[in-house]
Amino acid sequence: MSESPKPLPLVFSEPRGRKKPPRHLADLDEAGRKELLEEMGLPGFRAKQLSNHYFARLVDDPAEMTDLPAGQRDELVSALLPELMTPLRTMEADKGTTRKTLWRLFDGALVESVLMRYTDRVTMCVSSQAGCGMACPFCATGQGGLQRNMSTAEIVEQVVAGARSLARGEVPGGPGRVSNVVFMGMGEPLANYKAVLGAVRRLTDPSPAGLGMSARGITVSTVGLVPRILQLADEGIPVTLALSLHAPDDELRNELVPINTRFSVAETVDAAWTYADKTKRRVSIEYAMMRGINDQAWRADLLADVLLARGTWGWVHVNLIPLNPTPGSKWTASDPADEREFVRRLEARGIPTTVRDTRGREIDGACGQLAATEA
Ligand code: SAH
């Protein structure tokens, strides 16, 4: 392992002078990798071998890259496979099938990712920013503000790290693969649009150029940055869109999801509808159930009205998340009876509704708990 760089202060006052994360092959497409090596006077065809080690063989030890000439190996590896992050701590729950990792990035910024193994799939929940600027008051990450955007490679590396530990049999259940990725860790993915889109491309690029995952297995979750939702709809990558709605009325949503003062509930839901219409992918509406705040029967009815405003069915489903109270939170999870009634009312209007499981709660690995405050 290479020597870790010194951490920078958490607050950056001079963004222009800020150092960028190391450039890595996962930041570039196949042609870009080849070009870079050639610019450095190295043979371009080595890019494919490096990609194969990274994305297909999931190797991270240069000593195992025996098809690279020993004399060039170090130069090639430092050009395209620099170390991006170091694991500081891994916490396990559910008999080791839920694993949260706290990562330290090159500049000392901290982010977290969570691996969740189920009987039929493995989902990686990844961060897209160190911190978050959206300031949702019930979310742990939202309390600390934004430190910085993550690079494409820093985002991808979280998935590759999970894939490595699965391939090596480190997760109970035998060797396995990552089947799903959800951008539900720290950060607002659509506020870091370019890097996130790059990461989606690397995850879906056929192996060994990328991980070869299906776009259908990838979920981008957003507070609802309307112009970015519409842009994403035109990218031709049918990822699943999750919209964190949490309230059907502007008055309450302005408080719970402050960006709502810029894009109203009606505008945001309409953008999500357009996304479903263009991509033919069903949108997931995320709704964290908060006792006495947004869980009233009348709000379930209003939510159904809002989601059916276009008069079309089948474009959306609702995913209720039992609130994970964060330290000092004035909100708590809903009463199970209120939750059942909420589900009943939505389903009565023909809206498929599920209640999210809360894996990883005890290791602060559940939705909205990722805060990375401790090193
Ligand atoms: N910025 C993106 C991704 C964030 S996390 C977004 O807002 O969608 C993914 C989900 O967890 C979001 O729906 C978010 O609102 C939700 N969440 C945040 N804090 C939570 C908490 N304390 N309990 C339950 N869900 C929470």
Side-chain angles (χ1 to χ4, degrees), residues 125-126 128-129 132 134 136 138-141 183-190 220-224 242-246 256-257 286-290 321-326 329 356 361 366-369:
C125 176
V126 299
S128 55
Q129 298 180 311
C132 184
M134 296 298 124
C136 303
F138 58 91
C139 172
T141 311
F183 285 84
M184 293 189 181
M186 299 167 70
E188 166 50 43
L190 297 189
V220 173
S221 181
T222 179
V223 289
L243 171 63
S244 300
L245 199 62
H246 305 316
L256 297 180
V257 186
E286 309 295 298
Y287 199 101
M289 293 287 280
M290 305 177 206
I321 315 172
L323 183 81
N324 291 306
T326 55
S329 169
R356 161 93 50 91
R361 234 182 170 156
C367 286
Q369 289 184 309

mmCIF file of all heavy atoms in Angstrom, residues 125-126 128-129 132 134 136 138-141 183-190 220-224 242-246 256-257 286-290 321-326 329 356 361 366-369, ligand 1:
data_model
loop_
_atom_site.group_PDB
_atom_site.id
_atom_site.type_symbol
_atom_site.label_atom_id
_atom_site.label_comp_id
_atom_site.label_asym_id
_atom_site.label_seq_id
_atom_site.Cartn_x
_atom_site.Cartn_y
_atom_site.Cartn_z
ATOM 1 N N CYS A 125 -24.838 0.053 -1.428
ATOM 2 C CA CYS A 125 -25.321 1.420 -1.256
ATOM 3 C C CYS A 125 -24.089 2.320 -1.213
ATOM 4 O O CYS A 125 -23.228 2.158 -0.351
ATOM 5 C CB CYS A 125 -26.120 1.501 0.047
ATOM 6 S SG CYS A 125 -26.693 3.160 0.450
ATOM 7 N N VAL A 126 -23.978 3.232 -2.171
ATOM 8 C CA VAL A 126 -22.746 4.012 -2.298
ATOM 9 C C VAL A 126 -22.972 5.510 -2.075
ATOM 10 O O VAL A 126 -24.069 6.030 -2.259
ATOM 11 C CB VAL A 126 -22.078 3.806 -3.678
ATOM 12 C CG1 VAL A 126 -21.692 2.342 -3.876
ATOM 13 C CG2 VAL A 126 -22.972 4.288 -4.819
ATOM 14 N N SER A 128 -21.989 9.482 -3.097
ATOM 15 C CA SER A 128 -21.606 10.225 -4.299
ATOM 16 C C SER A 128 -20.959 11.566 -3.963
ATOM 17 O O SER A 128 -20.390 12.225 -4.831
ATOM 18 C CB SER A 128 -22.828 10.463 -5.187
ATOM 19 O OG SER A 128 -23.849 11.116 -4.462
ATOM 20 N N GLN A 129 -21.073 11.983 -2.705
ATOM 21 C CA GLN A 129 -20.415 13.204 -2.246
ATOM 22 C C GLN A 129 -19.919 12.949 -0.816
ATOM 23 O O GLN A 129 -20.496 12.142 -0.096
ATOM 24 C CB GLN A 129 -21.406 14.382 -2.192
ATOM 25 C CG GLN A 129 -22.012 14.769 -3.531
ATOM 26 C CD GLN A 129 -22.975 15.946 -3.410
ATOM 27 O OE1 GLN A 129 -23.853 15.962 -2.559
ATOM 28 N NE2 GLN A 129 -22.808 16.930 -4.291
ATOM 29 N N CYS A 132 -23.219 16.459 2.275
ATOM 30 C CA CYS A 132 -24.340 16.742 1.378
ATOM 31 C C CYS A 132 -24.803 18.170 1.629
ATOM 32 O O CYS A 132 -24.811 18.628 2.764
ATOM 33 C CB CYS A 132 -25.503 15.776 1.642
ATOM 34 S SG CYS A 132 -26.898 15.975 0.498
ATOM 35 N N MET A 134 -27.839 19.357 0.799
ATOM 36 C CA MET A 134 -29.293 19.496 0.670
ATOM 37 C C MET A 134 -30.001 19.799 1.990
ATOM 38 O O MET A 134 -31.157 20.202 1.995
ATOM 39 C CB MET A 134 -29.892 18.242 0.007
ATOM 40 C CG MET A 134 -29.406 18.035 -1.416
ATOM 41 S SD MET A 134 -29.893 19.401 -2.520
ATOM 42 C CE MET A 134 -28.310 19.906 -3.173
ATOM 43 N N CYS A 136 -31.502 18.298 4.453
ATOM 44 C CA CYS A 136 -32.760 17.725 4.954
ATOM 45 C C CYS A 136 -32.601 17.489 6.459
ATOM 46 O O CYS A 136 -31.655 16.825 6.883
ATOM 47 C CB CYS A 136 -33.089 16.423 4.241
ATOM 48 S SG CYS A 136 -33.197 16.623 2.442
ATOM 49 N N PHE A 138 -33.920 15.708 8.778
ATOM 50 C CA PHE A 138 -34.045 14.392 9.423
ATOM 51 C C PHE A 138 -32.910 13.452 9.034
ATOM 52 O O PHE A 138 -32.830 12.322 9.506
ATOM 53 C CB PHE A 138 -35.387 13.742 9.038
ATOM 54 C CG PHE A 138 -35.538 13.587 7.542
ATOM 55 C CD1 PHE A 138 -35.118 12.430 6.920
ATOM 56 C CD2 PHE A 138 -36.062 14.619 6.779
ATOM 57 C CE1 PHE A 138 -35.221 12.300 5.534
ATOM 58 C CE2 PHE A 138 -36.169 14.491 5.394
ATOM 59 C CZ PHE A 138 -35.750 13.331 4.778
ATOM 60 N N CYS A 139 -32.013 13.901 8.150
ATOM 61 C CA CYS A 139 -30.969 13.041 7.596
ATOM 62 C C CYS A 139 -29.631 13.361 8.255
ATOM 63 O O CYS A 139 -29.240 14.530 8.344
ATOM 64 C CB CYS A 139 -30.877 13.253 6.091
ATOM 65 S SG CYS A 139 -29.475 12.423 5.310
ATOM 66 N N ALA A 140 -28.926 12.319 8.698
ATOM 67 C CA ALA A 140 -27.661 12.530 9.411
ATOM 68 C C ALA A 140 -26.637 13.229 8.527
ATOM 69 O O ALA A 140 -25.953 14.153 8.967
ATOM 70 C CB ALA A 140 -27.115 11.193 9.907
ATOM 71 N N THR A 141 -26.537 12.819 7.263
ATOM 72 C CA THR A 141 -25.540 13.429 6.380
ATOM 73 C C THR A 141 -25.841 14.908 6.155
ATOM 74 O O THR A 141 -24.926 15.734 6.043
ATOM 75 C CB THR A 141 -25.508 12.713 5.011
ATOM 76 O OG1 THR A 141 -25.425 11.313 5.224
ATOM 77 C CG2 THR A 141 -24.322 13.168 4.182
ATOM 78 N N PHE A 183 -27.659 4.594 -5.234
ATOM 79 C CA PHE A 183 -26.997 5.847 -4.843
ATOM 80 C C PHE A 183 -27.784 6.448 -3.690
ATOM 81 O O PHE A 183 -28.444 7.469 -3.832
ATOM 82 C CB PHE A 183 -26.916 6.808 -6.034
ATOM 83 C CG PHE A 183 -25.876 6.425 -7.047
ATOM 84 C CD1 PHE A 183 -26.154 5.501 -8.041
ATOM 85 C CD2 PHE A 183 -24.603 6.983 -6.997
ATOM 86 C CE1 PHE A 183 -25.175 5.144 -8.980
ATOM 87 C CE2 PHE A 183 -23.626 6.639 -7.926
ATOM 88 C CZ PHE A 183 -23.911 5.714 -8.919
ATOM 89 N N MET A 184 -27.729 5.729 -2.560
ATOM 90 C CA MET A 184 -28.490 6.147 -1.385
ATOM 91 C C MET A 184 -27.585 6.314 -0.174
ATOM 92 O O MET A 184 -28.039 6.352 0.954
ATOM 93 C CB MET A 184 -29.598 5.136 -1.079
ATOM 94 C CG MET A 184 -30.679 5.088 -2.146
ATOM 95 S SD MET A 184 -32.068 4.095 -1.620
ATOM 96 C CE MET A 184 -33.140 4.215 -3.059
ATOM 97 N N GLY A 185 -26.285 6.384 -0.435
ATOM 98 C CA GLY A 185 -25.363 6.671 0.654
ATOM 99 C C GLY A 185 -25.299 8.175 0.866
ATOM 100 O O GLY A 185 -26.290 8.881 0.682
ATOM 101 N N MET A 186 -24.109 8.660 1.195
ATOM 102 C CA MET A 186 -23.984 10.097 1.457
ATOM 103 C C MET A 186 -24.026 10.881 0.154
ATOM 104 O O MET A 186 -23.501 10.455 -0.864
ATOM 105 C CB MET A 186 -22.655 10.355 2.165
ATOM 106 C CG MET A 186 -22.578 9.633 3.504
ATOM 107 S SD MET A 186 -20.921 9.626 4.175
ATOM 108 C CE MET A 186 -20.766 11.332 4.602
ATOM 109 N N GLY A 187 -24.671 12.052 0.226
ATOM 110 C CA GLY A 187 -24.631 12.962 -0.909
ATOM 111 C C GLY A 187 -25.875 12.957 -1.773
ATOM 112 O O GLY A 187 -26.713 12.059 -1.697
ATOM 113 N N GLU A 188 -25.984 14.000 -2.589
ATOM 114 C CA GLU A 188 -27.074 14.128 -3.553
ATOM 115 C C GLU A 188 -26.493 13.835 -4.934
ATOM 116 O O GLU A 188 -25.770 14.667 -5.511
ATOM 117 C CB GLU A 188 -27.670 15.543 -3.478
ATOM 118 C CG GLU A 188 -28.584 15.926 -4.626
ATOM 119 C CD GLU A 188 -29.674 14.902 -4.943
ATOM 120 O OE1 GLU A 188 -30.297 14.359 -4.005
ATOM 121 O OE2 GLU A 188 -29.895 14.631 -6.135
ATOM 122 N N PRO A 189 -26.771 12.634 -5.478
ATOM 123 C CA PRO A 189 -26.113 12.233 -6.719
ATOM 124 C C PRO A 189 -26.318 13.213 -7.873
ATOM 125 O O PRO A 189 -25.395 13.456 -8.646
ATOM 126 C CB PRO A 189 -26.710 10.856 -7.036
ATOM 127 C CG PRO A 189 -27.777 10.599 -6.046
ATOM 128 C CD PRO A 189 -27.628 11.559 -4.927
ATOM 129 N N LEU A 190 -27.508 13.789 -7.985
ATOM 130 C CA LEU A 190 -27.737 14.663 -9.138
ATOM 131 C C LEU A 190 -27.096 16.045 -8.965
ATOM 132 O O LEU A 190 -27.037 16.823 -9.912
ATOM 133 C CB LEU A 190 -29.233 14.769 -9.459
ATOM 134 C CG LEU A 190 -29.906 13.450 -9.878
ATOM 135 C CD1 LEU A 190 -31.323 13.706 -10.385
ATOM 136 C CD2 LEU A 190 -29.097 12.681 -10.920
ATOM 137 N N VAL A 220 -30.745 5.544 -8.875
ATOM 138 C CA VAL A 220 -30.254 6.872 -8.516
ATOM 139 C C VAL A 220 -31.351 7.555 -7.713
ATOM 140 O O VAL A 220 -32.472 7.723 -8.187
ATOM 141 C CB VAL A 220 -29.906 7.690 -9.779
ATOM 142 C CG1 VAL A 220 -29.552 9.123 -9.408
ATOM 143 C CG2 VAL A 220 -28.738 7.039 -10.527
ATOM 144 N N SER A 221 -31.012 7.917 -6.483
ATOM 145 C CA SER A 221 -31.997 8.512 -5.579
ATOM 146 C C SER A 221 -31.735 10.006 -5.454
ATOM 147 O O SER A 221 -30.602 10.437 -5.262
ATOM 148 C CB SER A 221 -31.872 7.829 -4.208
ATOM 149 O OG SER A 221 -32.815 8.343 -3.302
ATOM 150 N N THR A 222 -32.792 10.802 -5.555
ATOM 151 C CA THR A 222 -32.593 12.259 -5.550
ATOM 152 C C THR A 222 -33.643 12.990 -4.729
ATOM 153 O O THR A 222 -34.773 12.540 -4.603
ATOM 154 C CB THR A 222 -32.612 12.812 -7.002
ATOM 155 O OG1 THR A 222 -32.441 14.231 -6.962
ATOM 156 C CG2 THR A 222 -33.912 12.485 -7.720
ATOM 157 N N VAL A 223 -33.233 14.149 -4.220
ATOM 158 C CA VAL A 223 -34.188 15.041 -3.567
ATOM 159 C C VAL A 223 -35.137 15.666 -4.594
ATOM 160 O O VAL A 223 -36.168 16.220 -4.237
ATOM 161 C CB VAL A 223 -33.482 16.204 -2.820
ATOM 162 C CG1 VAL A 223 -32.758 15.706 -1.584
ATOM 163 C CG2 VAL A 223 -32.538 16.964 -3.744
ATOM 164 N N GLY A 224 -34.748 15.608 -5.879
ATOM 165 C CA GLY A 224 -35.624 16.141 -6.919
ATOM 166 C C GLY A 224 -35.078 17.389 -7.586
ATOM 167 O O GLY A 224 -35.740 18.419 -7.630
ATOM 168 N N ALA A 242 -35.224 7.053 -8.057
ATOM 169 C CA ALA A 242 -35.962 7.114 -6.795
ATOM 170 C C ALA A 242 -36.073 8.588 -6.418
ATOM 171 O O ALA A 242 -35.079 9.316 -6.455
ATOM 172 C CB ALA A 242 -35.232 6.334 -5.706
ATOM 173 N N LEU A 243 -37.271 9.024 -6.127
ATOM 174 C CA LEU A 243 -37.492 10.420 -5.754
ATOM 175 C C LEU A 243 -37.851 10.475 -4.261
ATOM 176 O O LEU A 243 -38.825 9.860 -3.826
ATOM 177 C CB LEU A 243 -38.625 11.011 -6.604
ATOM 178 C CG LEU A 243 -39.117 12.393 -6.185
ATOM 179 C CD1 LEU A 243 -38.015 13.444 -6.306
ATOM 180 C CD2 LEU A 243 -40.334 12.804 -7.034
ATOM 181 N N SER A 244 -37.032 11.211 -3.512
ATOM 182 C CA SER A 244 -37.277 11.334 -2.074
ATOM 183 C C SER A 244 -38.321 12.416 -1.847
ATOM 184 O O SER A 244 -37.999 13.586 -1.734
ATOM 185 C CB SER A 244 -35.969 11.690 -1.361
ATOM 186 O OG SER A 244 -35.024 10.669 -1.583
ATOM 187 N N LEU A 245 -39.572 12.002 -1.784
ATOM 188 C CA LEU A 245 -40.659 12.979 -1.708
ATOM 189 C C LEU A 245 -40.953 13.363 -0.257
ATOM 190 O O LEU A 245 -40.925 14.526 0.104
ATOM 191 C CB LEU A 245 -41.905 12.422 -2.413
ATOM 192 C CG LEU A 245 -42.947 13.456 -2.815
ATOM 193 C CD1 LEU A 245 -42.388 14.469 -3.807
ATOM 194 C CD2 LEU A 245 -44.182 12.776 -3.414
ATOM 195 N N HIS A 246 -41.285 12.388 0.554
ATOM 196 C CA HIS A 246 -41.473 12.544 2.002
ATOM 197 C C HIS A 246 -42.668 13.398 2.427
ATOM 198 O O HIS A 246 -43.022 13.394 3.612
ATOM 199 C CB HIS A 246 -40.202 13.074 2.690
ATOM 200 C CG HIS A 246 -38.985 12.249 2.439
ATOM 201 N ND1 HIS A 246 -38.964 10.876 2.495
ATOM 202 C CD2 HIS A 246 -37.713 12.610 2.096
ATOM 203 C CE1 HIS A 246 -37.751 10.425 2.215
ATOM 204 N NE2 HIS A 246 -36.975 11.454 1.955
ATOM 205 N N LEU A 256 -39.101 19.601 5.195
ATOM 206 C CA LEU A 256 -38.397 18.309 5.247
ATOM 207 C C LEU A 256 -37.316 18.190 4.169
ATOM 208 O O LEU A 256 -36.283 17.549 4.386
ATOM 209 C CB LEU A 256 -39.390 17.150 5.102
ATOM 210 C CG LEU A 256 -40.446 17.011 6.210
ATOM 211 C CD1 LEU A 256 -41.345 15.808 5.914
ATOM 212 C CD2 LEU A 256 -39.787 16.862 7.587
ATOM 213 N N VAL A 257 -37.578 18.752 3.006
ATOM 214 C CA VAL A 257 -36.633 18.681 1.889
ATOM 215 C C VAL A 257 -36.494 20.112 1.347
ATOM 216 O O VAL A 257 -37.201 20.524 0.443
ATOM 217 C CB VAL A 257 -37.146 17.717 0.783
ATOM 218 C CG1 VAL A 257 -36.101 17.537 -0.317
ATOM 219 C CG2 VAL A 257 -37.544 16.365 1.367
ATOM 220 N N GLU A 286 -39.780 7.674 -2.570
ATOM 221 C CA GLU A 286 -39.307 7.372 -1.214
ATOM 222 C C GLU A 286 -40.055 8.272 -0.224
ATOM 223 O O GLU A 286 -40.196 9.482 -0.470
ATOM 224 C CB GLU A 286 -37.803 7.619 -1.090
ATOM 225 C CG GLU A 286 -36.946 6.955 -2.163
ATOM 226 C CD GLU A 286 -36.978 5.452 -2.110
ATOM 227 O OE1 GLU A 286 -36.552 4.878 -1.094
ATOM 228 O OE2 GLU A 286 -37.458 4.832 -3.092
ATOM 229 N N TYR A 287 -40.499 7.673 0.853
ATOM 230 C CA TYR A 287 -41.311 8.423 1.805
ATOM 231 C C TYR A 287 -40.952 7.920 3.201
ATOM 232 O O TYR A 287 -41.340 6.821 3.593
ATOM 233 C CB TYR A 287 -42.792 8.189 1.479
ATOM 234 C CG TYR A 287 -43.767 9.205 2.050
ATOM 235 C CD1 TYR A 287 -44.293 10.217 1.238
ATOM 236 C CD2 TYR A 287 -44.178 9.142 3.383
ATOM 237 C CE1 TYR A 287 -45.211 11.140 1.745
ATOM 238 C CE2 TYR A 287 -45.086 10.065 3.893
ATOM 239 C CZ TYR A 287 -45.601 11.057 3.066
ATOM 240 O OH TYR A 287 -46.504 11.967 3.561
ATOM 241 N N ALA A 288 -40.140 8.699 3.919
ATOM 242 C CA ALA A 288 -39.736 8.306 5.277
ATOM 243 C C ALA A 288 -40.883 8.634 6.237
ATOM 244 O O ALA A 288 -41.289 9.787 6.359
ATOM 245 C CB ALA A 288 -38.472 9.053 5.690
ATOM 246 N N MET A 289 -41.396 7.605 6.867
ATOM 247 C CA MET A 289 -42.586 7.777 7.718
ATOM 248 C C MET A 289 -42.192 8.360 9.078
ATOM 249 O O MET A 289 -41.479 7.729 9.860
ATOM 250 C CB MET A 289 -43.261 6.429 7.914
ATOM 251 C CG MET A 289 -43.857 5.870 6.632
ATOM 252 S SD MET A 289 -45.350 6.768 6.141
ATOM 253 C CE MET A 289 -46.560 6.022 7.232
ATOM 254 N N MET A 290 -42.686 9.581 9.353
ATOM 255 C CA MET A 290 -42.357 10.266 10.606
ATOM 256 C C MET A 290 -43.627 10.463 11.425
ATOM 257 O O MET A 290 -44.589 11.068 10.949
ATOM 258 C CB MET A 290 -41.740 11.633 10.297
ATOM 259 C CG MET A 290 -40.536 11.510 9.388
ATOM 260 S SD MET A 290 -39.862 13.124 8.941
ATOM 261 C CE MET A 290 -39.109 12.696 7.371
ATOM 262 N N ILE A 321 -40.234 4.285 4.089
ATOM 263 C CA ILE A 321 -39.044 3.977 4.886
ATOM 264 C C ILE A 321 -39.363 4.311 6.347
ATOM 265 O O ILE A 321 -39.632 5.472 6.653
ATOM 266 C CB ILE A 321 -37.832 4.839 4.462
ATOM 267 C CG1 ILE A 321 -37.683 4.901 2.933
ATOM 268 C CG2 ILE A 321 -36.559 4.339 5.105
ATOM 269 C CD1 ILE A 321 -36.622 5.896 2.452
ATOM 270 N N PRO A 322 -39.347 3.310 7.230
ATOM 271 C CA PRO A 322 -39.504 3.665 8.644
ATOM 272 C C PRO A 322 -38.368 4.609 9.024
ATOM 273 O O PRO A 322 -37.211 4.295 8.769
ATOM 274 C CB PRO A 322 -39.384 2.317 9.374
ATOM 275 C CG PRO A 322 -39.636 1.282 8.321
ATOM 276 C CD PRO A 322 -39.142 1.867 7.030
ATOM 277 N N LEU A 323 -38.671 5.766 9.562
ATOM 278 C CA LEU A 323 -37.622 6.745 9.867
ATOM 279 C C LEU A 323 -36.577 6.144 10.798
ATOM 280 O O LEU A 323 -36.903 5.501 11.787
ATOM 281 C CB LEU A 323 -38.214 7.994 10.530
ATOM 282 C CG LEU A 323 -37.162 9.080 10.789
ATOM 283 C CD1 LEU A 323 -36.883 9.887 9.537
ATOM 284 C CD2 LEU A 323 -37.564 9.987 11.939
ATOM 285 N N ASN A 324 -35.325 6.337 10.438
ATOM 286 C CA ASN A 324 -34.224 5.985 11.340
ATOM 287 C C ASN A 324 -33.873 7.245 12.100
ATOM 288 O O ASN A 324 -33.254 8.135 11.525
ATOM 289 C CB ASN A 324 -33.009 5.536 10.531
ATOM 290 C CG ASN A 324 -33.234 4.204 9.853
ATOM 291 O OD1 ASN A 324 -33.595 3.235 10.495
ATOM 292 N ND2 ASN A 324 -33.050 4.169 8.546
ATOM 293 N N PRO A 325 -34.268 7.324 13.364
ATOM 294 C CA PRO A 325 -33.987 8.578 14.066
ATOM 295 C C PRO A 325 -32.488 8.806 14.154
ATOM 296 O O PRO A 325 -31.729 7.893 14.446
ATOM 297 C CB PRO A 325 -34.598 8.353 15.452
ATOM 298 C CG PRO A 325 -35.479 7.162 15.318
ATOM 299 C CD PRO A 325 -34.915 6.327 14.213
ATOM 300 N N THR A 326 -32.063 10.017 13.862
ATOM 301 C CA THR A 326 -30.648 10.362 13.965
ATOM 302 C C THR A 326 -30.442 11.014 15.340
ATOM 303 O O THR A 326 -31.409 11.475 15.949
ATOM 304 C CB THR A 326 -30.249 11.330 12.839
ATOM 305 O OG1 THR A 326 -31.119 12.459 12.899
ATOM 306 C CG2 THR A 326 -30.404 10.685 11.476
ATOM 307 N N SER A 329 -32.584 13.839 17.029
ATOM 308 C CA SER A 329 -33.721 14.078 16.139
ATOM 309 C C SER A 329 -35.009 14.279 16.923
ATOM 310 O O SER A 329 -35.265 13.589 17.902
ATOM 311 C CB SER A 329 -33.876 12.895 15.195
ATOM 312 O OG SER A 329 -35.085 12.966 14.496
ATOM 313 N N ARG A 356 -39.838 -0.446 3.271
ATOM 314 C CA ARG A 356 -38.409 -0.748 3.207
ATOM 315 C C ARG A 356 -37.940 -1.462 4.460
ATOM 316 O O ARG A 356 -38.327 -1.107 5.567
ATOM 317 C CB ARG A 356 -37.669 0.580 3.040
ATOM 318 C CG ARG A 356 -36.207 0.626 3.381
ATOM 319 C CD ARG A 356 -35.289 0.381 2.211
ATOM 320 N NE ARG A 356 -35.566 1.184 1.033
ATOM 321 C CZ ARG A 356 -35.021 2.370 0.785
ATOM 322 N NH1 ARG A 356 -34.187 2.885 1.668
ATOM 323 N NH2 ARG A 356 -35.286 3.015 -0.314
ATOM 324 N N ARG A 361 -29.392 -1.049 10.739
ATOM 325 C CA ARG A 361 -29.749 -0.011 11.709
ATOM 326 C C ARG A 361 -28.781 0.053 12.878
ATOM 327 O O ARG A 361 -28.335 1.126 13.284
ATOM 328 C CB ARG A 361 -31.132 -0.358 12.264
ATOM 329 C CG ARG A 361 -32.065 0.775 12.112
ATOM 330 C CD ARG A 361 -33.377 0.407 12.708
ATOM 331 N NE ARG A 361 -34.145 1.636 12.723
ATOM 332 C CZ ARG A 361 -35.447 1.700 12.729
ATOM 333 N NH1 ARG A 361 -36.150 0.597 12.758
ATOM 334 N NH2 ARG A 361 -36.042 2.845 12.739
ATOM 335 N N ALA A 366 -28.172 2.244 8.149
ATOM 336 C CA ALA A 366 -29.454 2.326 7.444
ATOM 337 C C ALA A 366 -29.620 3.696 6.807
ATOM 338 O O ALA A 366 -28.873 4.630 7.079
ATOM 339 C CB ALA A 366 -30.597 2.032 8.414
ATOM 340 N N CYS A 367 -30.634 3.798 5.960
ATOM 341 C CA CYS A 367 -30.918 5.044 5.232
ATOM 342 C C CYS A 367 -30.834 6.264 6.115
ATOM 343 O O CYS A 367 -31.471 6.331 7.150
ATOM 344 C CB CYS A 367 -32.324 5.014 4.675
ATOM 345 S SG CYS A 367 -32.475 3.941 3.305
ATOM 346 N N GLY A 368 -30.069 7.227 5.664
ATOM 347 C CA GLY A 368 -30.048 8.505 6.356
ATOM 348 C C GLY A 368 -29.179 8.518 7.599
ATOM 349 O O GLY A 368 -29.027 9.544 8.241
ATOM 350 N N GLN A 369 -28.578 7.378 7.910
ATOM 351 C CA GLN A 369 -27.750 7.360 9.125
ATOM 352 C C GLN A 369 -26.278 7.581 8.819
ATOM 353 O O GLN A 369 -25.479 7.777 9.725
ATOM 354 C CB GLN A 369 -27.899 6.006 9.838
ATOM 355 C CG GLN A 369 -29.250 5.814 10.498
ATOM 356 C CD GLN A 369 -29.279 4.500 11.250
ATOM 357 O OE1 GLN A 369 -28.953 3.445 10.721
ATOM 358 N NE2 GLN A 369 -29.649 4.559 12.511
HETATM 359 N N1 SAH B 1 -29.687 12.614 -1.633
HETATM 360 C C1 SAH B 1 -30.368 11.433 -2.110
HETATM 361 C C2 SAH B 1 -29.807 10.150 -1.511
HETATM 362 C C3 SAH B 1 -29.883 10.182 -0.040
HETATM 363 S S1 SAH B 1 -30.211 8.828 0.988
HETATM 364 C C4 SAH B 1 -31.839 11.536 -1.774
HETATM 365 O O1 SAH B 1 -32.200 12.375 -0.972
HETATM 366 O O2 SAH B 1 -32.625 10.786 -2.336
HETATM 367 C C5 SAH B 1 -31.476 7.860 0.415
HETATM 368 C C6 SAH B 1 -32.808 7.991 1.138
HETATM 369 O O3 SAH B 1 -32.742 7.942 2.564
HETATM 370 C C7 SAH B 1 -33.491 9.302 0.795
HETATM 371 O O4 SAH B 1 -34.818 9.005 0.421
HETATM 372 C C8 SAH B 1 -33.461 10.021 2.110
HETATM 373 O O5 SAH B 1 -34.465 10.993 2.197
HETATM 374 C C9 SAH B 1 -33.646 8.896 3.075
HETATM 375 N N2 SAH B 1 -33.333 9.248 4.449
HETATM 376 C C10 SAH B 1 -32.499 10.206 4.880
HETATM 377 N N3 SAH B 1 -32.472 10.252 6.224
HETATM 378 C C11 SAH B 1 -33.306 9.287 6.653
HETATM 379 C C12 SAH B 1 -33.684 8.834 7.935
HETATM 380 N N4 SAH B 1 -33.181 9.373 9.040
HETATM 381 N N5 SAH B 1 -34.565 7.815 7.995
HETATM 382 C C13 SAH B 1 -35.048 7.232 6.881
HETATM 383 N N6 SAH B 1 -34.723 7.619 5.653
HETATM 384 C C14 SAH B 1 -33.854 8.636 5.512
#
